[in-house]
Amino acid sequence: MASTVPEASKCSSVFLGKTGLTVSNLCLGTMTFGKSPFGFLQGNIDEETSCQLIDRFEDWGGYFIDTADFYGPKLSESIVGNWLQKKDRERFVIATKVRFSIDPSDPNKVGLSRRHITRAVEESLGRLQTDFIDLYQTHLWDNAVPLEETLRTLNDLVRCGKVRYLGACNLSGWQLQKWIQVQEKLGLEPVVSLQQHYSLKERASEWEAFQVCKGNGLGVLPWSPLSGGLLAGKVSRDKPPETGRLAEAAQTGGHNDGAPDWKKLQADEQLWNILDVTKRIAAKHGKSQAQVAIRWLLQKDIVASVIIGARTVQQLDSNMAVATGWALTPEEMAELDKVSQPDKPYPYSMADMFMGDRVNPFNPPLTL
């Protein structure tokens, strides 16, 4: 039986961007519930184990749960919905997503068209067994559909009460800025959050996408905070991983954002430098390297809630232990920032060359 979680160790509540909605500062990601949509992702979780994980997440004071129609496919939403029937629905913030195909036989059940969104939201509501979705997110951009069509449809969902807030996932800076410009021009419900791959190993979104978030009051929801397990401290340069996404990628030669190419990682000096620093800081605090990596994200001012996943209650307990009760020092944050800083590509590098004396206290630059 899992131990009782002390009140002082439970999740804190934070506002989701500039909205009045609060979420737990750690969010339970449910991509592994049911059957994985990705061949490289090991550790699929049955319904009984999934419900045990959500129960334990609740013990830790967590009440923000993230799923998607694509996860399972469909099974993740169904598992969350079955669990939710035994609870007070109003105590939880449920987020799901739309965009990917979950029925390849139907050419219209994909993308961000009015046809697909209006059907997908009804099906998600049915699987979740609820009459509203707290945060409805576009899972990816859709080049095939005019943005106005997508945003007017999402606006209708909020106006009729099926959805409370709108979020986006996996967007570039220009895509997010265009969304905001169109919503303002048409007077539509705003996007309030951006769910993005963000970690000590993946910081490219800081260049533009997160600047847009900061300038417009969006909360960032990092996914894969350990970069597919890479930052958990369980791998070394000379020993390929034996389990999980990284092991699958190493064995098959496949890779993507959630499971990077192992051969390239072996030659990545910055990665091993990051792990050296997180190992030293972890030892100082009596924490794990994974906890240090997640805590670094929690202390970023643009981050509202960090999305974590787990296959066992023990893994979940370890991740949840970063929620509150301890913090990295400003010096440690600066050291982690420095060791993980990606090379600045053009035009950011050129701008830095000529920005030295252009400091105006009445017009401060956006910083992360």
Side-chain angles (χ1 to χ4, degrees):
M1 180 179 293
S3 60
T4 302
V5 178
E7 285 296 322
S9 298
K10 292 186 177 182
C11 290
S12 59
S13 292
V14 295
F15 286 109
L16 182 59
K18 64 180 181 181
T19 74
L21 178 70
T22 64
V23 295
S24 50
N25 65 340
L26 290 176
C27 173
L28 182 62
T30 64
M31 186 172 70
T32 54
F33 288 11
K35 183 179 180 181
S36 168
F38 304 107
F40 67 83
L41 183 61
Q42 298 179 340
N44 298 340
I45 302 174
D46 61 26
E47 182 161 357
E48 181 181 0
T49 304
S50 299
C51 290
Q52 290 173 357
L53 289 171
I54 312 176
D55 283 337
R56 187 57 175 168
F57 179 67
E58 184 185 13
D59 289 344
W60 278 95
Y63 59 91
F64 185 22
I65 301 171
D66 179 74
T67 184
D69 58 1
F70 186 56
Y71 298 165
K74 306 179 185 179
L75 290 175
S76 178
E77 285 186 329
S78 295
I79 291 170
V80 172
N82 289 340
W83 180 88
L84 203 57
Q85 289 309 293
K86 306 170 187 177
K87 303 292 179 176
D88 178 0
R89 169 67 181 90
E90 291 294 336
R91 292 191 62 252
F92 297 92
V93 175
I94 306 298
T96 191
K97 310 179 192 74
V98 60
R99 163 62 171 85
F100 291 117
S101 172
I102 56 175
D103 183 2
S105 67
D106 187 340
N108 277 311
K109 293 192 75 172
V110 65
L112 297 176
S113 67
R114 179 177 291 272
R115 165 77 179 268
H116 182 227
I117 291 174
T118 52
R119 181 63 180 172
V121 73
E122 295 293 349
E123 293 179 351
S124 288
L125 287 166
R127 286 188 290 268
L128 290 167
Q129 301 179 61
T130 182
D131 58 1
F132 70 96
I133 294 165
D134 295 283
L135 180 65
Y136 200 46
Q137 305 159 105
T138 57
H139 215 154
L140 192 69
W141 190 259
D142 186 359
N143 283 325
V145 180
L147 186 57
E148 290 82 357
E149 177 181 339
T150 298
L151 299 192
R152 285 187 186 278
T153 305
L154 294 174
N155 184 76
D156 290 345
L157 299 183
V158 176
R159 299 290 292 172
C160 71
K162 297 181 187 296
V163 169
R164 297 293 188 259
Y165 296 93
L166 304 175
C169 308
N170 307 308
L171 296 188
S172 65
W174 74 263
Q175 290 169 340
L176 183 58
Q177 185 63 50
K178 185 174 181 181
W179 178 322
I180 292 170
Q181 289 174 333
V182 170
Q183 81 187 24
E184 290 179 344
K185 177 182 178 181
L186 300 180
L188 304 177
E189 290 291 329
V191 58
V192 305
S193 61
L194 176 65
Q195 187 175 145
Q196 204 87 330
H197 185 190
Y198 186 33
S199 72
L200 284 166
K201 186 67 180 66
E202 178 52 67
R203 297 178 59 187
S205 292
E206 290 180 352
W207 301 132
E208 291 193 5
F210 293 169
Q211 299 292 341
V212 177
C213 290
K214 193 160 190 177
N216 292 274
L218 277 69
V220 171
L221 306 173
W223 62 264
S224 196
L226 302 179
S227 284
L230 189 62
L231 299 173
K234 297 180 180 179
V235 297
S236 65
R237 190 199 305 254
D238 301 322
K239 184 181 179 181
E242 298 178 350
T243 60
R245 286 181 251 179
L246 288 171
E248 184 76 11
Q251 294 163 10
T252 64
H255 63 91
N256 63 32
D257 289 334
D261 184 286
W262 178 249
K263 290 183 178 179
K264 290 184 179 179
L265 292 176
Q266 283 181 303
D268 187 344
E269 291 295 333
Q270 185 182 49
L271 167 63
W272 306 111
N273 290 337
I274 292 171
L275 289 173
D276 286 343
V277 174
T278 59
K279 184 176 182 179
R280 175 165 44 79
I281 293 175
K284 176 183 174 183
H285 287 274
K287 304 293 183 180
S288 70
Q289 287 177 262
Q291 289 170 332
V292 169
I294 297 172
R295 188 67 215 178
W296 176 80
L297 286 169
L298 283 172
Q299 291 180 218
K300 289 293 182 178
D301 62 2
I302 56 167
V303 170
S305 182
V306 177
I307 301 171
I308 60 171
R311 288 175 292 168
T312 67
V313 170
Q314 291 73 22
Q315 281 184 337
L316 182 67
D317 280 345
S318 179
N319 289 339
M320 297 300 294
V322 308
T324 189
W326 71 286
L328 299 170
T329 67
E331 292 76 18
E332 289 166 343
M333 288 293 292
E335 185 177 10
L336 288 166
D337 285 347
K338 183 177 181 180
V339 74
S340 64
Q341 181 68 49
D343 291 335
K344 279 193 174 183
Y346 172 86
Y348 316 107
S349 55
M350 183 176 180
D352 281 357
M353 292 172 58
F354 299 97
M355 211 64 71
D357 62 345
R358 303 299 295 166
V359 178
N360 184 342
F362 295 100
N363 185 43
L366 293 173
T367 58
L368 295 176

